Amino acid sequence: GTGKTSMARLMARLLYRVGVLPKDDLVEVQQDQLVAGYVGQTAAKTQKVIGEAAAGVLFIDEAYRLSQGKNDFGREAIEQLMAAMNEPPGKAPVMIFAGYPTDMQNFMAQNDGLYRRVPYSFDFPNYTCAEIAEILDLMVVQKGFALERKLLA
């Protein structure tokens, strides 16, 4: 992993602390929580999620999947999300779209309005094996244990 969800949580806290958001809540969703299986149901499903996250951050993991379906339900969800982006923070959530770089470029190209509404893009490289070992070691130490050094080499 790259820590996308952890970064989204930090961003929610930061935006709350500097007064952009009234809450530091993070609502994490994927395609299945936004898209319904029948015509006319996706808009309501997406609006419900937007409402749940309105005062905080809506984190859409693997957002590119919204634009990869064989039907237009994902695009309907994208349109609902874009409409909400016109509202100020607090009335609608700050949205973070996450996914693999190439897939996200294709997602953003699905609608010109996305580029205007999503002004920032950040790439997070995957952790190396050494970095994951270091994180594990820190977590183990925080719990009062220790790993043998040869396990971390």
Side-chain angles (χ1 to χ4, degrees), residues 44-82:
K45 193 171 185 178
T46 302
Q47 283 299 322
K48 182 175 186 251
V49 170
I50 291 168
E52 290 169 1
V57 170
L58 176 58
F59 176 67
I60 302 149
D61 198 11
E62 298 181 0
Y64 58 87
R65 292 177 56 208
L66 292 170
S67 62
Q68 291 181 336
K70 293 179 182 174
N71 56 46
D72 287 334
F73 301 148
R75 284 183 183 79
E76 184 179 357
I78 293 169
E79 290 170 9
Q80 294 297 311
L81 294 167
M82 285 178 42

Side-chain angles (χ1 to χ4, degrees), residues 69-139:
K70 293 179 182 174
N71 56 46
D72 287 334
F73 301 148
R75 284 183 183 79
E76 184 179 357
I78 293 169
E79 290 170 9
Q80 294 297 311
L81 294 167
M82 285 178 42
M85 286 185 229
N86 293 327
E87 297 295 326
K91 290 192 181 264
V94 168
M95 296 183 202
I96 297 175
F97 299 93
Y100 298 108
T102 302
D103 291 326
M104 290 305 294
Q105 288 172 355
N106 293 335
F107 167 74
M108 294 296 290
Q110 293 295 312
N111 188 308
D112 291 336
L114 280 171
Y115 279 112
R116 288 191 303 276
R117 290 174 177 91
V118 181
Y120 303 104
S121 175
F122 304 95
D123 289 328
F124 295 97
N126 289 329
Y127 289 118
T128 64
C129 291
E131 291 168 329
I132 291 173
E134 187 178 335
I135 292 167
L136 173 64
D137 187 44
L138 288 170
M139 292 170 73

Side-chain angles (χ1 to χ4, degrees), residues 29-43:
V29 297
Q30 290 191 355
Q31 177 190 26
D32 61 329
Q33 288 134 318
L34 298 171
V35 176
Y38 299 99
V39 174
Q41 293 179 335
T42 293

